[in-house]
Amino acid sequence: MAPKDDSLARRVLKGDIRATAKLIRLVDDNDPEALPELAALYPHTGAAHVIGITGSPGVGKSTIVDKIVGKFREDGKTVGILAVDPTSPFTGGAILGDRIRMQRHFLDSGVFIRSMATRGQFGGLTRSTADAVVALDAMGKDAIIIETVGVGQDEVDIAHSAHTTVLVTIPGMGDDIQAIKAGLMEIGDLFVVNKSDREGAGKTVRELQFMLHMSSERYQESGWEPPIIQTIGVAEQGIDDLYQEILRHREYLKYLDKNELKRRERLKIKRQLFELLKEGVVNEIMKKIGGDEVLDGIVNDILDRKSDPYSANAELLKRISGSA
Amino acid sequence: MAPKDDSLARRVLKGDIRATAKLIRLVDDNDPEALPELAALYPHTGAAHVIGITGSPGVGKSTIVDKIVGKFREDGKTVGILAVDPTSPFTGGAILGDRIRMQRHFLDSGVFIRSMATRGQFGGLTRSTADAVVALDAMGKDAIIIETVGVGQDEVDIAHSAHTTVLVTIPGMGDDIQAIKAGLMEIGDLFVVNKSDREGAGKTVRELQFMLHMSSERYQESGWEPPIIQTIGVAEQGIDDLYQEILRHREYLKYLDKNELKRRERLKIKRQLFELLKEGVVNEIMKKIGGDEVLDGIVNDILDRKSDPYSANAELLKRISGSA
């Protein structure tokens, strides 16, 4: 689909900041107006390096993001940042000090920062973040950083959609290491032990090494062994190492076997399509069952134990199929 | 629907542990066999007190849960525990020490512990947890404790389905307080500052008080002002206070205005129904579009930029409506 001359899509392709901001707002509001624009932009995507940075609250993700953005800027690269973290300084709950910390980038036209807020009835955060990546990619950003909190499934899903995923932890968070062990490990391409001047940094590194060693077979197959980088974000220590490793992972991906690369891209597309379908279908359902009022009647029956959620669900599914 | 004599449902109603474990496993596997059993059990639910306990990794949730379970047991009450926390000692990623910590309850037939593992393609965790609550409620458990990590949307949704939600934090987790401010605050009926012997406990309590004060209007309306309880879980300090407040909140709910009570229950039912519908519909879709192979073709077209996720989604939605 070719975008019209004055369309939002056309303006986004020209790098128009206000148009991009508007499109991301539409995406965040789940406004159907966004869809033709995104469809028009999609063929122009694929060039950006999408980097996910995730970790528990308090590990210093925002500082890491801030410093990495600085590195990209020094190299003359433009950056888009999507903050999908309720504790992030970029989002609504931000406190003033944190905002000031990022101020230099707020004033830099080569950096575009947006926070994703929508957590709709059906958890549209994965969908809206993927759509926002399309917008930033089409806009011409060289790197797109998605900052998420690495505990909820939403956040893991979002991290999954990045090319390079960085997991940040700090010394002395044993529970964090357990979480990494329980599932996050698989999505990490790089591991960062931030605040490495704290006691126990060595122990945390050794724990991570041990876990990586346990999965060494998988890494030998893929040809990429996730590095563990010690940083002190606020003092900018280790940041250059981290930046170089991020670039090295990008290079690694470029020279991956074509089939493997396609397999990964396919998985990403599949995920994005599923997220879209899920939302679209639920909207369809609501229309077909007659909207909120009909639903309220059903809910009341369940409340009075005249029905139950399982029978009501079966009934509704039948009705949707039957009346279509 | 009346359960058959030898049905899983009938056995669950008799308090059969193995039958309940089996049903929860079916639920966790998203096995359709579970649905008639759940439908049969549903009329027998509503008596249990469902308590959500949530907080970031490392705040000591598991110890709090352990101690609260002990209190219920002292009172002769039976307890069901659902752990939906990747860092929980009850789940797969557990380390030995944590398991030992809970051992006394593992050996107590009045306590039923299960961890919810499934995080399917469509994030069925909220659905499966709600279903498991139905099973434990029907089984006759007096209290059901859902332990979640309070950051992801899934976990917030799950907490939403409890009658009483306890938010646990510790001193010196400024980011945690920000997260609470950003959204978790609204779901908290009780706030716990655990590890209160640590420096900064007073400051954390004051921050929470300040936030509660900001929302005091809302609380005046509801008639419940969330208490802030200082605990030292491992030393069992403050645990009795917490337990008494949990019971007091239960009493408060009992004497709530009937309409308000119904409004809350209705909201819960609606959420559960939506979760069921979402999964059911996606399964229907997959059947209608012809399964994975057709989907793979579409994904390949998107990969080659012959199509895009937005147009493909619109096309699929049309096909689903049309062919039904």
Side-chain angles (χ1 to χ4, degrees):
Chain A
M1 209 188 294
K4 277 185 232 154
D5 260 12
D6 60 340
S7 71
L8 214 49
R10 179 69 79 188
R11 285 162 57 209
V12 169
L13 285 174
K14 282 182 187 153
D16 185 327
I17 288 174
R18 289 181 58 186
T20 310
K22 190 179 171 192
L23 180 55
I24 292 180
R25 205 163 49 240
L26 290 174
V27 152
D28 209 20
D29 291 345
N30 199 13
D31 190 319
E33 263 188 55
L35 298 176
E37 311 292 343
L38 290 166
L41 290 175
Y42 198 81
H44 304 275
T45 60
H49 182 196
V50 184
I51 303 153
I53 299 192
T54 191
S56 288
V59 299
K61 284 184 303 295
S62 300
T63 308
I64 299 272
V65 170
D66 175 63
K67 303 298 183 191
I68 292 297
V69 169
K71 288 285 170 188
F72 273 112
R73 296 301 293 139
E74 279 170 35
D75 277 357
K77 306 281 187 196
T78 56
V79 185
I81 305 172
L82 294 172
V84 279
D85 174 351
T87 69
S88 164
F90 312 128
T91 60
I95 57 167
L96 193 65
D98 284 321
R99 281 207 186 276
I100 288 167
R101 179 152 45 103
M102 282 298 291
Q103 193 157 297
R104 59 172 174 143
H105 297 313
F106 268 112
L107 298 174
D108 174 356
S109 67
V111 179
F112 188 93
I113 305 175
R114 274 296 172 279
S115 63
M116 304 308 293
T118 312
R119 291 181 174 273
Q121 208 155 18
F122 310 106
L125 200 55
T126 312
R127 191 265 316 152
S128 60
T129 303
D131 290 351
V133 166
V134 166
L136 292 176
D137 190 342
M139 182 201 197
K141 289 283 171 269
D142 298 309
I144 298 169
I145 298 178
I146 311 174
E147 184 191 339
T148 62
V149 176
V151 184
Q153 184 59 23
D154 263 2
E155 287 70 20
V156 173
D157 285 346
I158 292 165
H160 255 297
S161 76
H163 298 115
T164 303
T165 300
V166 181
L167 280 184
V168 185
T169 187
I170 51 173
M173 278 189 92
D175 281 11
D176 221 40
I177 298 280
Q178 254 182 280
I180 289 171
K181 213 166 25 184
L184 289 173
M185 194 81 188
E186 283 186 29
I187 63 167
D189 300 306
L190 283 82
F191 292 84
V192 170
V193 180
N194 194 29
K195 307 188 186 181
S196 264
D197 47 343
R198 288 201 186 171
E199 210 188 305
K203 184 166 168 276
T204 303
V205 169
R206 281 191 302 277
E207 282 174 339
L208 284 170
Q209 277 169 339
F210 178 72
M211 279 191 276
L212 286 170
H213 183 73
M214 301 284 283
S215 322
S216 62
E217 213 169 295
R218 183 160 58 85
Y219 295 122
Q220 274 163 17
E221 245 171 65
S222 75
W224 174 263
E225 194 178 331
I228 300 165
I229 303 133
Q230 289 188 252
T231 59
I232 307 168
V234 288
E236 207 144 337
Q237 275 182 43
I239 296 296
D240 194 57
D241 286 351
L242 172 57
Y243 180 63
Q244 295 305 331
E245 289 294 336
I246 289 172
L247 297 185
R248 193 167 72 85
H249 188 254
R250 171 73 163 166
E251 285 305 303
Y252 153 79
L253 288 176
K254 268 191 192 158
Y255 294 104
L256 257 189
D257 180 75
K258 279 245 164 66
N259 288 330
E260 170 62 13
L261 206 65
K262 280 207 168 175
R263 192 189 63 80
R264 292 183 187 204
E265 278 301 313
R266 228 179 258 128
L267 212 61
K268 259 176 229 169
I269 291 169
K270 216 165 173 173
R271 282 210 185 89
Q272 194 186 354
L273 191 56
F274 267 132
E275 288 300 325
L276 285 164
L277 265 177
K278 205 167 63 177
E279 284 205 359
V281 163
V282 170
N283 291 339
E284 285 285 300
I285 290 176
M286 285 304 291
K287 259 191 277 173
K288 281 189 188 168
I289 63 179
D292 269 340
E293 274 172 50
V294 177
L295 196 66
D296 284 346
I298 295 167
V299 168
N300 278 333
D301 281 351
I302 298 173
L303 183 63
D304 300 338
R305 300 293 194 269
K306 284 184 217 156
S307 178
D308 64 80
Y310 312 98
S311 309
N313 178 46
E315 179 57 39
L316 282 172
L317 284 176
K318 225 186 288 172
R319 209 187 294 182
I320 293 157
S321 300
S323 75
Chain B
M1 211 186 293
K4 276 185 233 151
D5 260 12
D6 60 341
S7 71
L8 215 47
R10 178 69 79 190
R11 285 162 57 209
V12 169
L13 285 173
K14 283 183 186 149
D16 185 327
I17 288 174
R18 289 180 60 185
T20 310
K22 190 180 170 191
L23 180 55
I24 293 180
R25 204 162 52 240
L26 289 175
V27 151
D28 208 21
D29 291 346
N30 198 14
D31 190 318
E33 262 187 55
L35 297 176
E37 311 292 345
L38 290 166
L41 291 175
Y42 197 81
H44 303 277
T45 60
H49 183 196
V50 185
I51 302 152
I53 298 192
T54 190
S56 289
V59 300
K61 283 183 303 297
S62 299
T63 308
I64 299 272
V65 170
D66 174 63
K67 303 296 181 190
I68 291 297
V69 169
K71 288 284 170 189
F72 273 111
R73 296 301 293 137
E74 278 170 35
D75 277 356
K77 307 280 187 195
T78 56
V79 185
I81 304 171
L82 294 171
V84 280
D85 174 351
T87 71
S88 165
F90 312 128
T91 59
I95 58 167
L96 193 64
D98 284 320
R99 279 204 188 278
I100 288 166
R101 178 150 47 100
M102 281 298 291
Q103 193 156 298
R104 59 173 174 141
H105 297 312
F106 268 112
L107 299 173
D108 174 357
S109 69
V111 180
F112 187 93
I113 304 173
R114 273 297 171 280
S115 63
M116 305 306 295
T118 312
R119 293 182 174 272
Q121 208 156 17
F122 309 105
L125 200 54
T126 313
R127 191 266 316 152
S128 60
T129 305
D131 290 351
V133 167
V134 166
L136 292 177
D137 191 342
M139 183 202 196
K141 289 284 172 268
D142 299 307
I144 299 168
I145 298 178
I146 311 175
E147 184 192 339
T148 63
V149 176
V151 185
Q153 183 60 23
D154 263 2
E155 285 71 19
V156 173
D157 286 346
I158 291 164
H160 255 297
S161 76
H163 297 116
T164 302
T165 301
V166 181
L167 280 183
V168 185
T169 186
I170 51 172
M173 276 190 95
D175 281 11
D176 222 38
I177 299 280
Q178 253 181 280
I180 289 171
K181 214 167 20 186
L184 289 174
M185 194 81 188
E186 284 185 30
I187 63 167
D189 300 306
L190 282 83
F191 292 85
V192 170
V193 179
N194 194 30
K195 306 188 186 179
S196 265
D197 47 343
R198 286 201 187 172
E199 209 188 304
K203 185 167 168 274
T204 302
V205 170
R206 281 191 302 278
E207 282 175 337
L208 284 171
Q209 277 169 339
F210 178 73
M211 280 192 276
L212 286 171
H213 183 72
M214 301 284 283
S215 321
S216 62
E217 214 169 294
R218 183 158 60 83
Y219 295 123
Q220 274 163 17
E221 244 171 68
S222 75
W224 174 263
E225 194 177 333
I228 301 165
I229 302 133
Q230 289 187 253
T231 59
I232 307 169
V234 289
E236 208 143 337
Q237 275 183 42
I239 295 297
D240 194 56
D241 286 350
L242 172 57
Y243 179 63
Q244 295 305 332
E245 289 293 335
I246 288 173
L247 297 185
R248 193 167 70 83
H249 188 255
R250 170 73 163 166
E251 284 306 302
Y252 153 78
L253 288 177
K254 267 190 193 157
Y255 293 104
L256 256 188
D257 180 73
K258 279 245 165 66
N259 287 329
E260 170 63 14
L261 207 65
K262 280 207 168 173
R263 193 189 63 80
R264 291 183 187 203
E265 278 301 311
R266 228 179 258 127
L267 212 62
K268 259 176 226 168
I269 291 171
K270 216 164 174 173
R271 282 210 185 90
Q272 195 188 353
L273 191 56
F274 267 132
E275 288 299 325
L276 285 164
L277 265 176
K278 205 166 64 176
E279 285 204 0
V281 162
V282 170
N283 290 340
E284 284 285 300
I285 290 176
M286 285 304 291
K287 261 192 274 170
K288 280 190 186 167
I289 62 180
D292 268 341
E293 273 172 51
V294 177
L295 195 67
D296 283 346
I298 295 167
V299 168
N300 278 333
D301 281 350
I302 297 173
L303 183 63
D304 299 339
R305 298 294 193 269
K306 283 185 216 156
S307 177
D308 63 81
Y310 312 98
S311 309
N313 179 45
E315 179 56 39
L316 282 172
L317 284 176
K318 223 185 291 175
R319 210 188 294 182
I320 293 157
S321 300
S323 75

